Amino acid sequence: EAQVTQNPRYLITVTGKKLTVTCSQNMNHEYMSWYRQDPGLGLRQIYYSMNVEVTDKGDVPEGYKVSRKEKRNFPLILESPSPNQTSLYFCTSSVGFTGELFFGEGSRLTVL
Amino acid sequence: AQSVTQLGSHVSVSEGALVLLRCNYSSSVPPYLFWYVQYPNQGLQLLLKYTSAATLVKGINGFEAEFKKSETSFHLTKPSAHMSDAAEYFCAVTSSGGSYIPTFGRGTSLIVHP
């Protein structure tokens, strides 16, 4: 089954404690990205990757890091989380920029 | 630059009534347009997409959308609402002229009354 898998699905952490949200896709897609979803703001792109070792900033990259060492994986790293990073995070993959985005089920992060 | 505006953060209809969710976009190059649906506690899934073929696009679950270049619109419709249609709907645009950054609207919550 084609899917994008994120972990963890739910996480409560404290300010400053580094965390990583993993993302893996099994569709051999080149394009992957991370979004955050906040009430009233819709989805905003954090980072995207067009291929292995090729990443670039989206609209709201501050406070986040990513890496793309393998085609299937695209982890999101919060080096020093802050409360304003409390949000619902989605990883996506697609064949190309005009293609359908496949979404993971989301990771709900709370930073206290 | 591209942008998406979804008119109305909430739309309420009765079961069996017409559903109309509005989306207007701006793009300096021919756009690719999408509608996604998000059910509670789930990720988004594609309803339909426009990629410069037919202007009337049919999607899943009886939804369709019409691309109107002159109005820069891509409104989503369904003739008869079902209770199961209650969800959040997002319009998105991307284009071939820039980097790979799809832009999403802020979403419209569809409420269906019995």
Side-chain angles (χ1 to χ4, degrees):
Chain A
E1 180 189 354
Q3 58 185 5
V4 178
T5 304
Q6 301 178 221
N7 281 295
R9 293 286 314 280
Y10 301 91
L11 179 64
I12 300 174
T13 190
V14 296
T15 299
K17 186 176 182 180
K18 180 180 179 180
L19 67 92
T20 299
V21 186
T22 63
C23 175
S24 180
Q25 51 99 358
N26 63 0
M27 294 167 279
N28 202 37
H29 287 164
E30 292 184 342
Y31 293 83
M32 298 185 73
S33 62
W34 277 101
Y35 287 84
R36 59 177 291 173
Q37 183 179 20
D38 302 289
L41 297 178
L43 288 100
R44 295 177 291 168
Q45 193 180 64
I46 303 169
Y47 269 94
Y48 66 97
S49 170
M50 297 172 71
N51 213 327
V52 175
E53 303 292 1
V54 181
T55 63
D56 208 346
K57 297 176 181 178
D59 297 322
V60 289
E62 294 79 20
Y64 305 94
K65 285 177 57 177
V66 293
S67 67
R68 187 92 181 273
K69 294 184 171 61
E70 303 166 282
K71 196 171 186 179
R72 62 182 291 124
N73 295 324
F74 191 45
L76 179 70
I77 303 157
L78 286 73
E79 293 272 4
S80 182
S82 63
N84 65 12
Q85 293 179 297
T86 292
S87 187
L88 178 59
Y89 292 87
F90 288 103
C91 180
T92 75
S93 75
S94 69
V95 172
F97 63 81
T98 60
E100 167 189 0
L101 291 179
F102 288 83
F103 282 76
E105 292 191 320
S107 297
R108 186 169 293 281
L109 171 65
T110 301
V111 183
L112 302 175
Chain B
Q2 59 197 23
S3 66
V4 175
T5 302
Q6 290 184 240
L7 290 176
S9 58
H10 295 84
V11 169
S12 182
V13 300
S14 298
E15 192 173 21
L18 171 71
V19 176
L20 171 60
L21 305 182
R22 300 177 186 273
C23 172
N24 288 89
Y25 70 92
S26 69
S27 175
S28 57
V29 294
Y32 297 85
L33 294 157
F34 305 81
W35 275 99
Y36 290 86
V37 60
Q38 183 181 28
Y39 298 104
N41 299 314
Q42 295 185 25
L44 284 71
Q45 57 185 276
L46 183 71
L47 266 182
L48 49 81
K49 64 179 179 181
Y50 166 78
T51 56
S52 76
T55 56
L56 182 62
V57 182
K58 293 187 185 298
I60 62 172
N61 301 337
F63 284 93
E64 63 181 36
E66 185 173 9
F67 172 67
K68 291 188 176 180
K69 184 178 179 180
S70 61
E71 299 178 7
T72 60
S73 68
F74 191 56
H75 302 331
L76 182 71
T77 60
K78 182 174 181 178
S80 177
H82 295 164
M83 297 295 291
S84 60
D85 294 327
E88 189 88 14
Y89 292 81
F90 292 91
C91 182
V93 62
T94 188
S95 63
S96 58
S99 60
Y100 172 58
I101 303 183
T103 301
F104 282 81
R106 296 190 175 191
T108 298
S109 178
L110 177 64
I111 302 161
V112 183
H113 297 287

